[in-house]
Amino acid sequence: MGKKRNAFYAQSGGVTSVINASACGVIETARQNRDRIGKLYAGYNGIVGALREELIDTSKESAATIAALRHTPSGAFGSCRYKLKDLQSNKAEYERLIEVFKAHDIGYFFYNGGGDSQDTAHKVSQMGEQMAYPVTCIGIPKTVDNDLPFTDCCPGFGSVAKYVAVSTLEAGRDVASMCDSSTKVFILEVMGRHAGWIAAASALAGRQAEESPHIILFPEIAFNQQKFLSRVKREVKRNGYCVVVASEGAQYKDGRFIADAGRKDAFGHTQLGGVAPTLAGMVTSELGYKNHWAVADYLQRAARHIASATDVEQAYAVGKAAVEFALAGNNAVMPIIVRKKSKRYRWSIGSVPLSKVANVEAKMPRNYITRDGFGVTEAGLEYLAPLIEGEDYPPYKNGVPQYAQLKKVLVEKRIKKRFKV
Amino acid sequence: MGKKRNAFYAQSGGVTSVINASACGVIETARQNRDRIGKLYAGYNGIVGALREELIDTSKESAATIAALRHTPSGAFGSCRYKLKDLQSNKAEYERLIEVFKAHDIGYFFYNGGGDSQDTAHKVSQMGEQMAYPVTCIGIPKTVDNDLPFTDCCPGFGSVAKYVAVSTLEAGRDVASMCDSSTKVFILEVMGRHAGWIAAASALAGRQAEESPHIILFPEIAFNQQKFLSRVKREVKRNGYCVVVASEGAQYKDGRFIADAGRKDAFGHTQLGGVAPTLAGMVTSELGYKNHWAVADYLQRAARHIASATDVEQAYAVGKAAVEFALAGNNAVMPIIVRKKSKRYRWSIGSVPLSKVANVEAKMPRNYITRDGFGVTEAGLEYLAPLIEGEDYPPYKNGVPQYAQLKKVLVEKRIKKRFKV
């Protein structure tokens, strides 16, 4: 048993409706281990909060507020799109991190993010060793894109999957009821830059007697306008209407996105948007069907009101496990969800070294996508179905969810030198 | 007390997440009065179902299925965008309707729709008298746009209002947590062709400690690009981010819509869409802020999963009242919601003659909109707040709502002549 040290937790990258459930798991578990973990600081706006020495003292938040994080979407402490460069090209950033950690006696670093963040957590653990200031670094998986390797699924995905399945079901019924004299084609654009997991989840709408969605467009399958349009036509002829769910990352064979906005974000990723109106334009000009389109954008990943109970539980569990792993002496690992081989869905927590996770993207297996490239196979549905199981409603007041309101008290700075981020 | 006659119910125009709750109210109340009302037929795809003599025999549906309509969105029997012309220019349509009613001994006509439908119901009652085939015609209010006169609110509106308030709250938190290093402006486009009620409902997100939305764009207030952009800039400078909710019908002083798609629907209304991306384009080119946008489109009016309990109750109540009015000998009236003058929100059912309702649009009172034209006043919030009160969740199975599955058994046709719609 080591001596009591402080801990630092930060949220990274695009937020989800359950990332705060992971924060809740981390903080509540740390509070249960006050003999080992002193103060738990949270980065104000993620890792840049550490670089700027802007640390939120979570001990100032009541137990009720921390408990409310479990049902609160988005990043309660602030997140950021800020990727630390590699050790060679920007060693100063890592040195600054370690300096801040040292100044606040931080011995545990919990980094809640996607692939890029797991990479950063890994590098920080290496840097700590190099600088003779050992820090236990634990990654906590989070991404709506479900594209982290090793883990059966990523906390954040199940809830956006549920949102997309429910929205597709509901909008599909809307179109079905109007198609005789009005809209015949409805196109819903969902997130998923390189992996079609979110779009695939829409297929869960159709598991029962529902017909929607008729066509799903995945980034994994090269888009062919002719094939797409003739399929739309076939579905309209057959059902009277056609519901299309398109990944924002859907692309042509040559890698051009269907709607490339041409802008890039801080990580150098192309910023997408506008697939749905682009497809709608094709339908209008080539087929002439009246159509409508929706772009869910942030609504989908913020939709805590329709979160998956399974996802919330798993998000909390990986946060809890992160602290338990750290206290058990593990370093540079990430808790993962392990699906048990059982008829009824069961899962447990495992772990994987951060060195293996970093910058590996998990695309959808080809056998989850139907042969024609427009649907999800039974194998895919079996994988997806349990992830949206269960409802976990937030409390409401005045007709809207009552989400946590944090005080966000910053710790007094101890380093004179400011660091420009 | 008259003799026992059959009844006809039809859904009209854009569907809502609670129009089936009205259907449920009509059918359950009719079933409770079997001594007066024989069969209750529903139009297959609305009024065109009557013109084509495609009548769904609702008696073939179980009590459980009818009860499930209360939590089922969209038009369960099918709706249509089909406006009967005036009596002079297309008398044949009205004659056909009466002919079909006569063939199936229909003495009650319940028409569930917006302003256009109330107008139709009124004309049918006149035509019946002219043709010496009296039909009791009762309108049942329905519109997400909340633009019917006399009624305090329109069933359908409260639920879309709740969806928009909750979505704005959630997406607003998303942007707040990321704005330090990423998206600074988020734009949500919502429905509302001529009235800003739906956009206004987003202000309910901000009633507590929430900051969003910062800017609301109403069709009632002339859009001024310069004013809009300088307000966005001010909000970003002040809060770090800015959330905008824009009505699809937001327009310039000269009546041009911000994004006029140039298409028209069956009623000759301009078909809108694309306000959000248009505004986003302005923000990008003039201010350079990173931004995201969402277009909720059908998702908002189909979102039964987040319906307002108040709205569901009122939708059921107007359906029930319609049948009760008919049985009490009223004709050519529409049940309305009457808000009681009390501190706690209370309402009752009143009625208004259809002749007064037809083709009158209720816009937002100017005193509900703040002086600067970008927000909702306390008076507006007081009006809106009770309409989104209460949650009324549908049952779930396999992670998605279990909505009613109807058999939709058609009645055998009795008229040889087919009618082209």
Side-chain angles (χ1 to χ4, degrees), chain A residues 13-16 44-45 48 52 72-82 162-163 165-171 173-183 185-186 188-189 191 204-205 207-210 248 263 265-266 271-274 277 284 289-299 301-306 385 388-391 393-394 396-405, chain B residues 13-16 44-45 48 52 72-82 162-163 165-171 173-183 185-186 188-189 191 204-205 207-210 248 263 265-266 271-274 277 284 289-299 301-306 385 388-391 393-394 396-405:
Chain A
V15 294
T16 79
Y44 182 59
N45 294 324
V48 302
R52 292 173 180 155
T72 299
S74 91
F77 304 102
S79 183
C80 64
R81 290 211 180 274
Y82 186 85
K162 190 180 184 90
Y163 172 94
V166 172
S167 297
T168 303
L169 192 165
E170 291 179 332
R173 283 203 167 219
D174 187 307
V175 183
S177 69
M178 303 282 300
C179 66
D180 181 65
S181 60
S182 185
T183 300
V185 179
F186 176 71
L188 170 62
E189 174 178 334
M191 287 178 161
L204 295 171
R207 274 213 114 181
Q208 294 164 59
E210 303 297 331
E248 59 175 346
R263 288 172 293 164
D265 71 9
Q271 224 195 305
L272 304 176
T284 302
Y289 293 135
K290 183 179 170 184
N291 56 74
H292 261 245
W293 52 270
V295 176
D297 197 63
Y298 289 163
L299 305 193
R301 74 178 193 194
R304 181 60 183 80
H305 74 272
I306 186 68
I388 67 163
E389 273 290 351
E391 294 67 56
Y393 300 118
Y396 277 70
K397 194 182 167 186
N398 298 329
V400 295
Q402 230 188 338
Y403 292 138
Q405 300 285 356
Chain B
V15 294
T16 79
Y44 183 59
N45 295 324
V48 300
R52 291 174 181 153
T72 299
S74 91
F77 304 102
S79 182
C80 64
R81 289 210 180 277
Y82 186 85
K162 190 180 184 90
Y163 172 93
V166 172
S167 297
T168 303
L169 192 166
E170 292 179 332
R173 284 203 166 217
D174 188 307
V175 183
S177 70
M178 303 284 299
C179 66
D180 182 65
S181 60
S182 185
T183 300
V185 180
F186 176 71
L188 171 62
E189 175 178 332
M191 287 178 159
L204 295 171
R207 273 214 116 180
Q208 294 164 59
E210 304 296 330
E248 60 176 343
R263 288 173 293 165
D265 71 11
Q271 222 193 309
L272 304 175
T284 302
Y289 293 135
K290 183 177 169 186
N291 56 74
H292 262 245
W293 51 271
V295 176
D297 197 64
Y298 289 162
L299 304 194
R301 74 179 194 192
R304 181 61 183 81
H305 74 272
I306 186 69
I388 68 164
E389 273 290 351
E391 294 67 55
Y393 300 118
Y396 277 69
K397 194 182 167 186
N398 300 328
V400 295
Q402 229 186 339
Y403 292 139
Q405 301 285 358

Side-chain angles (χ1 to χ4, degrees), chain A residues 116-129:
Chain A
D116 290 329
S117 310
Q118 307 307 330
D119 183 43
T120 299
H122 182 226
K123 283 175 185 152
V124 172
S125 82
Q126 291 175 311
M127 195 62 194
E129 275 172 39

Side-chain angles (χ1 to χ4, degrees), chain A residues 94 206 230 342 390:
Chain A
Y94 293 90
S230 68
S342 57

Side-chain angles (χ1 to χ4, degrees), chain B residues 128-366:
Chain B
E129 277 173 39
Q130 275 186 38
M131 292 175 67
Y133 183 82
V135 187
T136 299
C137 296
I138 312 283
I140 304 171
K142 170 243 64 169
T143 154
V144 293
D145 289 333
N146 204 35
D147 59 359
L148 286 173
F150 303 105
T151 185
D152 180 67
C153 62
C154 300
F157 170 66
S159 294
V160 76
K162 190 180 184 90
Y163 172 93
V164 168
V166 172
S167 297
T168 303
L169 192 166
E170 292 179 332
R173 284 203 166 217
D174 188 307
V175 183
S177 70
M178 303 284 299
C179 66
D180 182 65
S181 60
S182 185
T183 300
K184 300 223 173 341
V185 180
F186 176 71
I187 301 161
L188 171 62
E189 175 178 332
V190 300
M191 287 178 159
R193 212 174 277 274
H194 301 299
W197 293 109
I198 295 177
S202 68
L204 295 171
R207 273 214 116 180
Q208 294 164 59
E210 304 296 330
E211 290 173 330
S212 302
H214 304 93
I215 298 176
I216 303 175
L217 300 179
F218 305 94
E220 288 89 347
I221 304 290
F223 178 73
N224 177 310
Q225 179 171 335
Q226 218 41 56
K227 264 191 182 167
F228 167 69
L229 289 170
S230 69
R231 181 60 178 263
V232 169
K233 200 172 169 181
R234 198 178 98 192
E235 296 294 344
V236 171
K237 293 247 179 273
R238 185 188 291 169
N239 320 296
Y241 72 108
C242 177
V243 171
V244 180
V245 176
S247 297
E248 60 176 343
Q251 52 197 271
Y252 292 94
K253 203 175 178 179
D254 62 7
R256 270 179 311 127
F257 290 113
I258 291 178
D260 185 342
R263 288 173 293 165
K264 295 196 187 290
D265 71 11
F267 290 175
H269 302 145
T270 302
Q271 222 193 309
L272 304 175
V275 179
T278 306
L279 294 170
M282 289 176 197
V283 169
T284 302
S285 64
E286 302 300 317
L287 303 176
Y289 293 135
K290 183 177 169 186
N291 56 74
H292 262 245
W293 51 271
V295 176
D297 197 64
Y298 289 162
L299 304 194
Q300 69 201 289
R301 74 179 194 192
R304 181 61 183 81
H305 74 272
I306 186 69
S308 151
T310 304
D311 190 31
V312 174
E313 274 169 46
Q314 293 178 342
Y316 185 91
V318 292
K320 184 178 193 293
V323 176
E324 290 170 348
F325 284 171
L327 293 178
N330 295 291
N331 194 0
V333 296
M334 176 183 89
I336 58 170
I337 309 294
V338 180
R339 186 184 294 231
K340 297 203 172 162
K341 289 205 193 314
S342 57
K343 200 161 172 170
R344 214 179 119 255
Y345 176 67
R346 283 165 59 226
W347 56 274
S348 61
I349 296 288
S351 87
V352 65
L354 287 177
S355 57
K356 288 194 180 177
V357 180
N359 299 321
V360 181
E361 238 170 22
K363 295 205 178 191
M364 278 186 75
R366 185 60 185 85

